[in-house]
Amino acid sequence: MDKTLLTIVVFLAFIFLFTIAVRYGTLLAGRIVGQKVSATHHMLEAILDTEKIPPEWLDPAPREPAQVAAWQARQRDRAIEKLKTLHKYAENSPAFEDRESREYVLLELERIQEQWAARPFAEIAGTPASPPSQP
């Protein structure tokens, strides 16, 4: 009888702990996903407002002037890929109430992507074309 009672108590304790873990795990996952969605929407809004590559997307500029052109090309390519990811997100996001809003945002993202591919890096990044001078 003691083993049966012990088994029941252990089982109930396991169920209790499992329930608590699921509840708080779900809350934590929801918070993490919510922060990611919020950051994505803020990034999307900033790009639509400024039409520039967000500074968060750029790696530090190289100190060697000979490496700047390659760095700029890499940054442009990475930014365009991230913009394509945002475009895919906007296609499937339930954030837009109507079809016209979604189409407007998608067309603007496509226009900005073409602009980023065609314009000089300094214009689309809002940063100087060369690395900062050394003291």
Side-chain angles (χ1 to χ4, degrees):
M1 174 104 170
D2 288 334
K3 286 187 176 182
T4 305
L5 183 60
L6 180 63
T7 304
I8 291 173
V9 168
V10 168
F11 177 73
L12 290 176
F14 172 76
I15 295 297
F16 175 76
L17 292 174
F18 182 75
T19 303
I20 296 297
V22 167
R23 173 169 166 56
Y24 287 107
T26 303
L27 288 175
L28 179 63
R31 187 174 302 133
I32 291 169
V33 170
Q35 289 172 348
K36 177 138 176 74
V37 167
S38 177
T40 300
H41 284 250
H42 286 298
M43 193 65 60
L44 186 60
E45 184 177 346
I47 290 170
L48 290 173
D49 286 345
T50 65
E51 299 183 3
K52 300 209 181 291
I53 298 173
E56 298 87 7
W57 287 6
L58 299 175
D59 291 335
R63 295 204 180 269
E64 297 293 323
Q67 297 175 345
V68 171
W71 173 81
Q72 289 177 347
R74 268 193 322 275
Q75 298 309 304
R76 179 191 311 268
D77 292 345
R78 281 185 47 214
I80 289 174
E81 286 304 314
K82 288 184 178 189
L83 193 62
K84 287 178 183 178
T85 302
L86 276 179
H87 188 278
K88 287 178 187 173
Y89 174 80
E91 283 178 338
N92 301 314
S93 174
F96 302 102
E97 291 185 21
D98 56 17
R99 184 175 161 189
E100 291 82 17
S101 298
R102 182 184 313 274
E103 287 177 2
Y104 172 77
V105 169
L106 294 175
L107 287 173
E108 282 297 296
L109 289 174
E110 290 168 10
R111 184 184 62 77
I112 291 170
Q113 180 180 339
E114 290 172 5
Q115 179 179 332
W116 286 4
R119 287 198 175 164
F121 182 79
E123 286 182 23
I124 62 171
T127 59
S130 60
S133 59
Q134 297 178 4

